[in-house]
């Protein structure tokens, strides 16, 4: 089951609207096949593992991180595939929360004389499907925040990189595991980021780019316009010349009303989820991060803290923001990891 859960973790954020599931098939105490949910959500992990199996699968045991689906959707039920394969025992991590399948597999397998046991490593499974549950219940995507600062809490400097290469690689892994990345036009214009995933072999899994740009003030010669396939800009104020240029560049422009003289993020986040962006990484600056904290939008947060003091070279001190982080995630999980001399603090 631990292997099944780890297989599922590998594809969190990469399986479209379907949950990421891991599957392991065992016979005579030997793993004879494994499977994962496909990158677009299909095939399902159980079908993938059954199709991958080169051994005689009859009489085997199957371990699945989530209750196998028992309803017809874009594919037939996984329960049908398991029954047809003459698998003898089924183990899964937790019941599905999708009403079409929730708690139905257990009774179905019992009727078919297949031994079944659920809630194996249940707490691990609950943690794994935190974002899946959120996406089923809420109208917003699952939102992960990320920011990097110096030891003395500055987030910008012209003289050097703030964090080290290991921190940068972890940042790119975060991009890989989220299918959307959101920043403000102010940050885009100042930092001129690429906003893609630059881990070798994962370049094709860069997230869609979402930019908050109230007045359409974004520069049109930025790095992010070079290689990105999907770019959405949410704006409010008309700028016909800029609008035409951006449209010609293939940018999706979405006009949003103001709420209390700022962009209406309730509507923005709902629109983002409508685009099937269920996992959203916010790489905001100080203002955007504070706004998301104040409105309780973050489900998780990654704070990269360098060992370097910038002193007079630093700008935009975020000590007050970090204090807000502590209050927002109070009594929740907080994990510190060291990436060489950098500290990574993960709140969830």
């Amino acid at each position: 089951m631990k292997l099944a859960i780890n297989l599922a973790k590998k594809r969190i954020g990469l399986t479209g609207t379907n949950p990421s599931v891991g599957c392991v098939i065992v016979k005579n105490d030997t793993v004879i096949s494994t499977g994962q949910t496909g990158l677009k959500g299909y095939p399902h992990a159980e079908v993938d593992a059954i199709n991958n199996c080169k051994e005689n699968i009859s009489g085997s045991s199957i371990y699945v991180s989530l209750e196998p689906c028992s309803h017809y959707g874009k594919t037939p039920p996984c329960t049908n595939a398991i029954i047809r394969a003459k698998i003898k025992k089924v183990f899964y991590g937790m019941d599905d929360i999708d009403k079409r399948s929730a708690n139905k597999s257990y009774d179905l397998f019992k009727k078919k004389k297949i031994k079944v046991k659920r809630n194996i490593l249940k707490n691990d499974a609950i943690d794994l499907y935190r974002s899946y549950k959120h996406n089923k219940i809420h109208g917003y995507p699952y939102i992960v925040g990320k920011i990097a600062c110096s030891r003395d809490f500055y987030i910008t400097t012209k003289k050097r990189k703030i964090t080290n290469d290991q921190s940068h690689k972890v940042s790119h892994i975060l991009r890989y595991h989220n299918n959307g990345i959101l920043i403000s036009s102010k940050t885009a214009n100042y930092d001129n980021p690429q906003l893609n995933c630059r881990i070798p072999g994962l370049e094709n899994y860069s997230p869609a780019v979402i930019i908050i740009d109230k007045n359409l003030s974004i520069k049109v010669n930025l790095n992010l316009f070079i290689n990105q396939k999907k770019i959405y800009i949410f704006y409010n104020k008309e700028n016909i010349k800029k609008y035409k240029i951006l449209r010609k560049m293939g940018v999706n422009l979405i006009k949003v009303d103001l709420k209390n003289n700022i962009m209406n993020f309730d509507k923005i986040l709902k629109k983002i989820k409508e685009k099937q962006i269920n996992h959203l990484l916010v790489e905001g600056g100080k203002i955007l991060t504070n706004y998301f904290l104040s409105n309780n939008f973050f489900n998780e947060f990654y704070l990269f803290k360098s060992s370097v003091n910038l002193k007079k070279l630093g700008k935009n001190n975020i000590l007050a923001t970090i204090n807000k982080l502590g209050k927002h995630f109070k009594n929740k999980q907080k994990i510190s990891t060291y990436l060489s001399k950098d500290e990574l603090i993960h709140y969830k």
Side-chain angles (χ1 to χ4, degrees):
M1 185 58 70
K2 191 69 176 175
L3 176 55
I5 286 172
N6 284 339
L7 286 167
K9 282 181 181 178
K10 295 282 187 182
R11 289 194 173 167
I12 286 289
L14 302 171
T15 56
T17 56
N18 284 342
S20 177
V21 177
C23 179
V24 177
I25 300 175
V26 174
K27 189 172 183 179
N28 299 325
D29 295 327
T30 301
V31 173
I32 60 171
S33 188
T34 63
Q36 294 169 285
T37 306
L39 292 174
K40 299 292 185 181
Y42 307 97
H44 290 187
E46 300 92 321
V47 172
D48 187 47
I50 290 168
N51 290 342
N52 288 340
C53 190
K54 307 299 183 187
E55 309 288 335
N56 180 3
I57 203 169
S58 178
S60 62
S61 301
I62 192 168
Y63 295 78
V64 193
S65 56
L66 184 69
E67 176 183 7
C69 68
S70 54
H71 66 276
Y72 282 87
K74 291 182 180 179
T75 63
C78 289
T79 49
N80 286 9
I82 291 169
I83 293 165
R84 193 165 53 247
K86 297 182 179 179
I87 289 170
K88 187 169 70 172
K89 297 178 183 178
V90 177
F91 302 89
Y92 59 90
M94 62 173 271
D95 292 324
D96 197 350
I97 61 167
D98 189 323
K99 293 178 181 179
R100 296 172 297 176
S101 282
N103 300 303
K104 295 176 181 176
S105 295
Y106 188 88
D107 291 337
L108 177 61
F109 288 134
K110 285 282 189 182
K111 286 179 183 177
K112 296 293 182 178
K113 308 298 182 185
I114 296 170
K115 292 182 180 180
V116 57
K117 190 170 182 180
R118 54 189 170 185
N119 299 329
I120 309 297
L121 296 183
K122 184 179 179 181
N123 289 338
D124 292 38
I126 288 171
D127 187 58
L128 170 66
Y129 292 111
R130 187 190 305 266
S131 61
Y132 171 58
K133 182 178 180 182
H134 173 92
N135 282 318
K136 280 291 180 186
I137 295 172
H138 300 285
Y140 297 163
Y142 188 82
I143 302 173
V144 178
K146 175 250 171 182
I147 204 164
C149 70
S150 62
R151 188 177 179 182
D152 48 356
F153 309 111
Y154 292 104
I155 61 171
T156 54
T157 179
K158 284 290 187 182
K159 298 294 182 182
R160 54 164 295 159
K161 292 180 180 179
I162 293 176
T163 51
N164 63 31
D165 287 344
Q166 283 182 275
S167 291
H168 296 160
K169 287 176 181 177
V170 173
S171 294
H172 286 286
I173 291 293
L174 285 178
R175 290 178 181 178
Y176 167 67
H177 278 293
N178 289 273
N179 57 345
I181 182 169
L182 183 146
I183 64 167
S184 67
S185 58
K186 183 179 178 181
T187 298
N189 287 339
Y190 183 84
D191 292 342
N192 194 16
Q194 296 182 58
L195 298 182
N196 54 2
C197 178
R198 296 192 294 279
I199 298 289
L202 303 182
E203 298 91 343
N204 292 332
Y205 302 102
S206 294
V209 171
I210 300 136
I211 301 163
I212 308 301
D213 189 7
K214 180 180 175 182
N215 300 317
L216 279 184
S217 59
I218 194 160
K219 299 173 184 176
V220 296
N221 60 343
L222 298 178
N223 289 327
L224 64 90
F225 291 117
I226 297 172
N227 296 314
Q228 292 293 346
K229 294 179 181 177
K230 284 188 180 179
I231 300 176
Y232 300 93
I233 294 181
F234 288 88
Y235 74 101
N236 172 260
K237 189 176 179 181
E238 295 287 356
N239 181 332
I240 295 172
K241 183 179 178 182
K242 183 71 71 68
Y243 181 94
K244 287 181 178 178
I245 292 170
L246 291 168
R247 286 285 293 172
K248 194 173 181 180
M249 293 167 64
V251 176
N252 299 280
L253 291 125
I254 303 169
K255 190 173 182 180
V256 178
D257 296 333
L258 298 183
K259 184 178 180 181
N260 300 323
N261 205 36
I262 62 172
M263 297 288 278
N264 188 333
F265 275 89
D266 290 327
K267 286 189 177 179
I268 289 171
L269 292 171
K270 286 174 182 175
K271 285 281 186 186
I272 289 171
K273 192 175 181 191
E274 284 175 12
K275 303 295 182 185
Q276 296 193 347
I277 296 171
N278 289 323
H279 294 79
L280 180 67
L281 178 65
V282 178
E283 290 197 10
K286 184 176 178 179
I287 295 171
L288 191 62
T289 300
N290 281 333
Y291 181 83
F292 270 62
L293 279 171
S294 297
N295 288 275
N296 296 315
F297 286 138
F298 287 124
N299 300 103
E300 297 185 39
F301 201 95
Y302 289 84
L303 172 65
F304 293 83
K305 189 176 176 185
S306 169
S307 62
V308 175
N309 284 315
L310 291 177
K311 298 180 181 178
K312 291 182 180 180
L313 297 176
K315 293 181 180 180
N316 292 324
N317 192 288
I318 59 160
L319 178 57
T321 303
I322 293 172
N323 290 334
K324 278 186 184 179
L325 262 175
K327 291 177 182 177
H328 178 77
F329 289 98
K330 189 178 181 181
N331 300 323
K332 297 188 173 92
Q333 193 171 357
K334 177 182 171 184
I335 304 166
S336 283
T337 307
Y338 282 89
L339 304 167
S340 187
K341 293 182 180 179
D342 288 356
E343 182 182 13
L344 171 58
I345 305 170
H346 180 200
Y347 302 83
K348 63 178 178 179

